[in-house]
Amino acid sequence: MLIEKIGRKAQAGVFLIGFLIIIVLVFLFLPYISYNIGLVSPPNAGPITQGIKVSSVNYPASVSPSSTFGLSFFITNNLNGMVARNINFCLDDLGLFTISSSPFGSFSDGRCIRISSLFAGGVIGESFSLVSPSNSYYANIPYTQDLGYYINYSYSSTASQEVEFVSSQSSSSGSFPAPPVSISSRTAGPISINTSISQPIIYGNDGALAISFSNTGSGVVFGYLSFNITMNSSQIEIPSPSVYGLSEKTLSGGLVIYNGSVFIGSGVASLTFPVGLNSAKASELSSSDVPYYIPTIKLAMSYEYEQDGFFPISLQSERYFI
């Protein structure tokens, strides 16, 4: 009996200790769990015009000579954005400081960490340990180093635009609904998409679809921005797409994708394409006396983006006593 009581007490003690450990772990990891399952929004996950960003940096304002100190970063993806891929986060401009330890999976002398993907609203924390030099390296004179970092990643955005076509009779009588509103900054990344088109368009005529890509973020697009325009080829088309630098690919079900690219850098790029009903659809609508017709155009873009930042850390001097 005595042995059974001792055994039950031991089991109860083990259970209590295990329960307390679980409670502590839950409190420690609750912020990360909450971000990942969507209970709370990640810190500084916006604004709408930014995809991946370094939302916060924790660092000491000053350090003493020959000391070890930590740097921690939170990397976030816009809650309203898309999945970011091929993310590289690197320290830069270390100056007199050296890295003593880096996050798991780091490369390039421990300065960089590669993240395969980060979902919308996702938060990742990364930490580095650095060592300050001895005072002889900077002549024991107070010195401030701007430590830098940069982050680059692959991002994409999508949008859609309705286009209104009307018969000649409807155009003359005004018997058609108000044209759909054009896209205005419909994006969740650092590159915005804007469109304009004169509507309505009379059956058989082409409208001029103007598309602009604007860099509203704080970084730069690497290389060319790739884009595509998708529509139902049994309804509408871009006549002679190769003239406008577009390649054409037809999918099953009648969908056609027009692919192109444009250089944007840190600025704006604007393009204009003719859009009209194909001849068969225009004849069908006219012969059937359909007053108006509103098909949809899908837009998508993808690009490589990079942005950087810095923060100052001061090296203290040491007092000598004689």
Side-chain angles (χ1 to χ4, degrees):
M1 294 292 292
L2 179 60
I3 295 176
E4 290 180 359
K5 288 182 179 180
I6 293 173
R8 284 196 295 269
K9 287 183 178 179
Q11 289 177 350
V14 171
F15 175 79
L16 180 59
I17 293 172
F19 180 74
L20 291 175
I21 291 174
I22 291 173
I23 293 296
V24 171
L25 290 174
V26 167
F27 274 101
L28 285 174
F29 292 99
L30 183 60
Y32 302 98
I33 296 172
S34 299
Y35 300 147
N36 290 325
I37 66 176
L39 291 178
V40 297
S41 298
N44 302 316
I48 192 73
T49 56
Q50 189 63 67
I52 293 289
K53 63 183 291 188
V54 176
S55 60
S56 65
V57 184
N58 294 316
Y59 61 94
S62 62
V63 295
S64 58
S66 302
S67 63
T68 300
F69 60 96
L71 303 176
S72 60
F73 302 83
F74 269 112
I75 300 169
T76 62
N77 190 3
N78 181 7
L79 187 62
N80 299 313
M82 306 283 282
V83 175
R85 305 187 187 279
N86 305 318
I87 304 164
N88 292 298
F89 174 69
C90 301
L91 295 182
D92 198 15
D93 299 327
L94 295 179
L96 301 179
F97 299 106
T98 56
I99 296 174
S100 63
S101 66
S102 306
F104 176 77
S106 59
F107 61 100
S108 183
D109 298 328
R111 296 188 180 200
C112 299
I113 184 73
R114 180 175 290 121
I115 304 163
S116 59
S117 64
L118 185 59
F119 56 87
V123 180
I124 290 180
E126 302 291 354
S127 297
F128 296 82
S129 290
L130 272 66
V131 176
S132 62
S134 64
N135 58 351
S136 62
Y137 270 76
Y138 54 100
N140 202 40
I141 297 172
Y143 169 83
T144 299
Q145 170 70 34
D146 286 333
L147 268 73
Y149 62 86
Y150 64 88
I151 187 166
N152 55 57
Y153 57 93
S154 302
Y155 214 70
S156 61
S157 297
T158 59
S160 61
Q161 170 70 66
E162 293 182 320
V163 182
E164 184 174 32
F165 295 89
V166 300
S167 65
S168 298
Q169 295 83 351
S170 293
S171 177
S172 299
S173 63
S175 55
F176 55 85
V181 177
S182 295
I183 295 172
S184 179
S185 298
R186 288 272 300 280
T187 183
I191 307 301
S192 67
I193 308 173
N194 296 272
T195 67
S196 64
I197 186 169
S198 298
Q199 301 183 83
I201 305 164
I202 297 175
Y203 297 161
N205 294 336
D206 292 337
L209 175 65
I211 305 173
S212 66
F213 304 99
S214 303
N215 188 347
T216 56
S218 56
V220 63
V221 175
F222 270 175
Y224 285 82
L225 178 148
S226 298
F227 66 91
N228 62 63
I229 306 169
T230 303
M231 56 188 72
N232 191 330
S233 61
S234 65
Q235 302 171 352
I236 51 179
E237 62 186 2
I238 295 177
S240 304
S242 60
V243 173
Y244 305 95
L246 300 175
S247 62
E248 181 179 1
K249 182 178 181 180
T250 302
L251 306 178
S252 60
L255 289 180
V256 60
I257 299 177
Y258 301 102
N259 295 294
S261 61
V262 65
F263 181 79
I264 178 173
S266 59
V268 179
S270 298
L271 304 167
T272 302
F273 306 104
V275 175
L277 296 168
N278 67 33
S279 56
K281 189 65 177 180
S283 298
E284 174 193 332
L285 294 171
S286 297
S287 60
S288 302
D289 293 325
V290 177
Y292 61 89
Y293 183 67
I294 306 177
T296 300
I297 296 173
K298 301 288 187 181
L299 303 171
M301 61 178 174
S302 59
Y303 49 90
E304 304 289 328
Y305 201 77
E306 179 169 307
Q307 55 195 343
D308 55 23
F310 66 90
F311 48 92
I313 295 182
S314 297
L315 279 166
Q316 303 165 4
S317 61
E318 289 183 337
R319 295 182 62 185
Y320 294 99
F321 298 93
I322 300 176

